Amino acid sequence: MSCCAPGTESAIELNEVSQVGPSGEEHKLASKDCGNGLRQTDLSVPGVHCGGCINTVEKGLKALPFVTKARVNLSTKRVSVVWSEDGDPAQIITTLHELGYEAHLFDYSGESEDKTLSVMLRSLAVAGFAAANIMLLSVSVWSGADAATRDLFHWISAMIAIPALAYSGRIFFRSALNALRHGRLNMDVPISLAVILAFAMSLYETMNSGEHAYFDASVTLLFFLLIGRTLDHVMREKARSAVKGLARLSPRGATTVNPDGSSAFVAVDEIRAGMTILLAAGDRIPVDARVVSGASDLDCSLVNGESAPQTVSAGSVVRAGTLNLTGPLTIEALAPASQSFLAEMMQLMERAESAKARYRRIADRAAGLYAPLVHLVALLSFGGWMIVSGDWHHSLYIAIAVLIITCPCALALAVPVVQVVAAGRLFENGIMVKDGAAMERLAEADMVLFDKTGTLTVGNPRLVNIGDINPDTLNIAAELGTHSRHPLSRALANARDGMSKAMPDFDSFTEHPGAGLEAVRDGVTYRLGRADWALDNTGPDSAPSNGADRGQTVLSADGRFLAAFVFEDRLRREAIATVAALQNQGYPVEIISGDRAGAVSRLAESVGVSSYKSGVLPGEKSSYVARLGETGRKVLMVGDGLNDAPALVSAHVSMAPATAADVGRNAADFVFLHESLATVTSAISISKKAGQLIRQNFGLAIAYNLIAIPSAIFGYATPLVAALAMSSSSLIVVLNALRLRIGARKNDAIESRQPEDGVDAPEYGAATAEQGR
């Protein structure tokens, strides 16, 4: 079995169907805006199938002056290219063509039919049929047929072998020829050379009425190689079932309402922001949208992991991939499918599969040295046996065995197949990971820091002193709160529900991370946030004159106190059990929060954490994490807010909930979708297990080479045995990786002993409007 399995056969389809690359304008329209004058384009490159191909493509694209980043995903045959807007994107396609790779825009919807598997199965069937018939003729020859009969059977075998090798061997031959045409080597070159040499040697013997022909060996060798390659392809597709499952959650299209009131069915890729969509009960939501009219229950388990349906009505925001259960809805698209929540999750999964972690870089470098070394070893084996025996038949036979058995497929598969399976297991536990290198870093973490609001707590606070606040003042605070995603801001905005008094717009608005919100209207400056920031005559060491705590949430007008707000929040499900499990595993656990000391102290006591820091500003969080790193600590930071972003970046590895601010999710290495905090321990457990399996795979690959290569060199392995050994080594590595998927999943998560409604601790009074707690 070869690590280049899923790509080489794609070359067949590319030769059967003319591929025309996108124009520069089409290329630009299909790209995504990355900010700072950069855009990203995802291209499908079916011909990529080994470490050498990855290195060739990435180096070739990075050589373009306007390309800042190029990364190949071997599992999806996709290359992501980040390029400057002042460049010509058509040159990217041209460069790939010059390197010998066809390319076209990547289709996120996935294939409904596995055409690659169909091609491989047909090739396997032809090779098997031919091998069986040639073997029958060979048995007759071995049984003592006379010279005339022997020659006849050899010619019949040749006539069967020629079309079988031409049809079934094209998977290897075209890939090898394409590599040689562009001045490089890949893993299919020695395999093709071995098959062709075995056939050529047999044909030479047949033409000269020789006693021995090896048509059975050449065709049977091809048959075994195809068995291994097909199994490899099937197992890789099995490992990627999580990503394919996500792709299947996206509908092919939706019914949209035209400006004239008529309706039409539109492909999901053609849906744009602002389009009105009609959904019937049982339909999946195609893009992120807002409900315009109607009410229904949605299955949102994909988003939040909860099996209970979620009720939505006019004004509710719904996510792509969720299922409309009970009633018709009219929704307005907020973004195209390529920018939806579902597409973001698929891209995170694929990014995790293609990441260049330390182990993967080692495997790629080793596989890159393979092609020249294997040819050298085969040549030396041939020369050595010629010197020793003088029999060129036997010497060539051994050289063929060496060419096959030295394929480093097991080594090349050791890391990526584990990354694919691990990313799928994390997704099943409600965790999205940005890259495989993050899993490696998470396994190395030796300390955990938690933010408070929105991380240890659900971040869904409730205003409890609404009766003590003047309605006009509450209306101003609620209007300010609508401009922020901070949980306390949302709580204030929700507290105004039912109040119909219209408010004029603010003249300007600013959000200050770690402090609060500031807006100006009619020359009056309003501040909603920490009292020591919002009020005059209050510094970091003094309390407000009105008696409010310095960290309490207040509203001020030109520095004058207007109102103080008190909130209640609750712990995330399994927060106490998660902290206890981490401590039992030997992790020091700390809480670091911008909230006031009293609230942080009560929370720390309830979850069993003795070390905590309160009133910490965003820069101080980042500095503290950096100092821990300088002392040798490898910190896992779990946070969700705007002010956590610097700390998330500074940490050795980081996690954030899906409800976090955009900047927090973008800064984190992992994003967990469920409310339960047990996902933290699940991620650590899966990452550690993945690291163990990678090391085991390296050990298996090294042991295989230490045994197999000397066996072939010294003549103990025939080409057929070599083909079986090479295929078996890859199969063992893939099966070992799949243990992560079929293992006991109950060990990945904490068994909760707390109520199902998630209230595992008393609610806490929170009095802060700092952005990120």
Side-chain angles (χ1 to χ4, degrees):
M1 182 183 320
S2 172
C3 66
C4 42
T8 52
E9 64 279 359
S10 298
I12 299 167
E13 297 167 21
L14 291 173
N15 281 275
E16 292 173 346
V17 180
S18 175
Q19 296 292 330
V20 179
S23 65
E25 188 62 28
E26 182 183 1
H27 196 127
K28 184 171 292 187
L29 289 173
S31 64
K32 293 176 286 188
D33 187 359
C34 299
N36 300 320
L38 298 176
R39 304 191 72 84
Q40 177 180 326
T41 300
D42 294 333
L43 298 171
S44 178
V45 188
V48 172
H49 54 268
C50 66
C53 294
I54 292 173
N55 188 53
T56 300
V57 170
E58 291 182 350
K59 278 189 175 181
L61 292 177
K62 289 176 182 177
L64 294 174
F66 61 92
V67 172
T68 60
K69 183 179 180 181
R71 182 168 60 182
V72 174
N73 185 321
L74 185 61
S75 297
T76 58
K77 308 294 181 237
R78 186 185 76 173
V79 56
S80 297
V81 187
V82 179
W83 48 279
S84 175
E85 291 180 339
D86 56 7
D88 180 8
Q91 292 184 29
I92 297 174
I93 298 292
T94 302
T95 300
L96 288 171
H97 286 174
E98 291 173 351
L99 293 171
Y101 298 95
E102 297 290 340
H104 53 272
L105 293 173
F106 187 81
D107 179 13
Y108 287 95
S109 63
E111 294 286 342
S112 58
E113 178 186 357
D114 191 346
K115 296 180 180 178
T116 293
L117 182 60
S118 299
V119 171
M120 298 182 78
L121 288 175
R122 288 197 300 269
S123 299
L124 181 64
V126 170
F129 175 81
N133 283 277
I134 293 174
M135 189 65 70
L136 288 174
L137 295 172
S138 298
V139 169
S140 300
V141 173
W142 297 338
S143 300
D146 57 46
T149 304
R150 180 195 65 208
D151 290 346
L152 175 63
F153 282 4
H154 281 172
W155 279 111
I156 294 174
S157 298
M159 293 302 101
I160 296 174
I162 290 173
L165 292 177
Y167 182 83
S168 299
R170 59 184 178 155
I171 290 177
F172 305 96
F173 300 156
R174 284 180 172 169
S175 171
L177 183 61
N178 183 60
L180 293 173
R181 186 183 296 125
H182 292 88
R184 53 187 173 83
L185 297 172
N186 65 13
M187 296 181 184
D188 285 335
V189 172
I191 289 175
S192 300
L193 185 60
V195 173
I196 292 172
L197 283 176
F199 174 79
M201 186 167 61
S202 301
L203 187 60
Y204 174 84
E205 289 293 316
T206 299
M207 294 173 65
N208 291 278
S209 298
E211 293 185 13
H212 303 290
Y214 307 97
F215 294 114
D216 54 346
S218 59
V219 179
T220 307
L221 167 62
L222 185 62
F223 177 63
F224 282 130
L225 289 171
L226 283 169
I227 289 176
R229 185 152 293 192
T230 304
L231 289 174
D232 184 11
H233 176 79
V234 170
M235 288 186 176
R236 285 199 190 205
E237 292 301 299
K238 176 67 175 177
R240 295 197 68 249
S241 59
V243 174
K244 287 186 171 291
L246 282 175
R248 284 192 290 269
L249 291 177
S250 178
R252 294 296 180 185
T255 302
T256 61
V257 179
N258 298 322
D260 61 2
S262 62
S263 60
F265 185 84
V266 175
V268 67
D269 292 336
E270 298 176 9
I271 297 176
R272 297 291 180 262
M275 295 179 69
T276 301
I277 302 170
L278 302 178
L279 285 179
D283 288 347
R284 283 203 179 271
I285 296 173
V287 296
D288 293 350
R290 179 180 291 106
V291 177
V292 176
S293 63
S296 182
D297 292 329
L298 299 185
D299 177 359
C300 298
S301 56
L302 172 70
V303 178
N304 57 22
E306 301 298 326
S307 57
Q310 176 180 323
T311 301
V312 296
S313 56
S316 300
V317 174
V318 293
R319 299 291 190 182
T322 53
L323 180 64
N324 182 26
L325 295 176
T326 54
L329 292 174
T330 301
I331 60 176
E332 179 184 355
L334 298 177
S338 61
Q339 299 174 17
S340 68
F341 173 78
L342 187 61
E344 180 184 359
M345 288 199 297
M346 290 179 62
Q347 291 168 29
L348 285 175
M349 289 283 291
E350 289 164 358
R351 207 179 299 169
E353 296 172 1
S354 62
K356 293 296 185 68
R358 179 183 61 190
Y359 290 125
R360 185 156 187 176
R361 289 193 295 269
I362 294 172
D364 284 349
R365 283 197 294 269
L369 296 172
Y370 154 74
L373 286 178
V374 68
H375 290 92
L376 179 61
V377 172
L379 181 61
L380 292 175
S381 300
F382 176 80
W385 276 97
M386 279 294 294
I387 294 172
V388 172
S389 66
D391 184 349
W392 72 272
H393 292 86
H394 185 63
S395 300
L396 186 58
Y397 208 59
I398 288 175
I400 292 171
V402 172
L403 284 171
I404 297 167
I405 210 166
T406 50
C407 181
C409 303
L411 181 61
L413 284 170
V415 181
V417 71
V418 175
Q419 285 185 342
V420 171
V421 177
R425 288 287 291 111
L426 287 169
F427 173 71
E428 290 170 0
N429 281 269
I431 307 161
M432 304 302 299
V433 56
K434 289 186 178 179
D435 59 62
M439 287 188 272
E440 189 177 303
R441 294 197 304 274
L442 182 59
E444 297 170 347
D446 57 13
M447 182 178 184
V448 183
L449 292 184
F450 283 105
D451 173 45
K452 175 184 169 287
T453 308
T455 304
L456 284 171
T457 64
V458 241
N460 188 23
R462 178 174 60 91
L463 182 65
V464 295
N465 66 332
I466 188 171
D468 301 331
I469 302 172
N470 181 284
D472 291 335
T473 302
L474 177 60
N475 206 21
I476 295 172
E479 183 68 19
L480 269 169
T482 60
H483 290 79
S484 172
R485 290 190 57 185
H486 188 283
L488 300 185
S489 298
R490 292 200 297 267
L492 281 170
N494 293 335
R496 190 177 60 170
D497 289 349
M499 299 175 62
S500 58
K501 185 174 181 180
M503 294 287 294
D505 292 336
F506 290 104
D507 300 327
S508 64
F509 175 85
T510 307
E511 187 167 11
H512 299 274
L517 314 171
E518 182 179 76
V520 177
R521 178 193 289 151
D522 300 330
V524 179
T525 299
Y526 294 94
R527 284 187 172 184
L528 175 67
R530 295 165 58 109
D532 55 5
W533 168 77
L535 302 177
D536 282 341
N537 303 318
T538 59
D541 299 319
S542 60
S545 58
N546 58 67
D549 292 338
R550 54 185 290 269
Q552 189 172 9
T553 302
V554 301
L555 175 67
S556 70
D558 290 332
R560 294 177 292 103
F561 174 83
L562 294 182
F565 305 94
V566 179
F567 302 89
E568 288 180 345
D569 202 353
R570 62 182 175 84
L571 291 178
R572 282 188 180 270
R573 284 215 319 261
E574 303 181 79
I576 295 174
T578 298
V579 170
L582 290 170
Q583 291 171 334
N584 291 338
Q585 293 172 22
Y587 291 95
V589 178
E590 292 186 13
I591 297 173
I592 183 167
S593 172
D595 206 346
R596 57 196 177 94
V600 179
S601 174
R602 291 195 298 273
L603 176 72
E605 182 180 357
S606 66
V607 297
V609 174
S610 58
S611 178
Y612 62 88
K613 294 182 179 296
S614 59
V616 183
L617 297 177
E620 295 171 344
K621 283 189 179 183
S622 179
S623 298
Y624 180 65
V625 172
R627 287 197 302 273
L628 289 173
E630 291 170 359
T631 63
R633 284 291 188 185
K634 295 180 178 179
V635 177
L636 164 61
M637 175 71 194
V638 188
D640 79 310
L642 187 63
N643 79 328
D644 291 321
L648 292 170
V649 172
S650 300
H652 186 68
V653 63
S654 55
M655 297 183 70
T659 54
D662 291 342
V663 66
R665 290 203 313 274
N666 292 335
D669 297 308
F670 295 83
V671 176
F672 57 92
L673 307 177
H674 300 174
E675 181 181 312
S676 171
L677 205 61
T679 50
V680 175
T681 50
S682 295
I684 292 174
S685 173
I686 293 171
S687 297
K688 286 186 173 181
K689 182 64 175 176
Q692 293 173 2
L693 290 175
I694 287 174
R695 290 189 290 273
Q696 290 173 12
N697 279 353
F698 269 123
L700 290 170
I702 292 171
Y704 161 77
N705 283 285
L706 290 176
I707 297 171
I709 295 176
S711 298
I713 292 174
F714 290 107
Y716 295 111
T718 67
L720 292 182
V721 172
L724 286 172
M726 187 265 287
S727 298
S728 299
S729 67
S730 298
L731 183 62
I732 290 171
V733 165
V734 175
L735 287 174
N736 189 52
L738 288 175
R739 288 172 51 213
L740 185 62
R741 187 175 187 84
I742 62 178
R745 298 183 180 181
K746 64 181 180 180
N747 296 326
D748 291 338
I750 299 172
E751 293 291 340
S752 174
R753 298 181 180 180
Q754 300 167 8
E756 287 300 319
D757 62 3
V759 183
D760 57 1
E763 294 184 329
Y764 300 92
T768 175
E770 52 88 11
Q771 302 304 299
R773 290 65 66 198

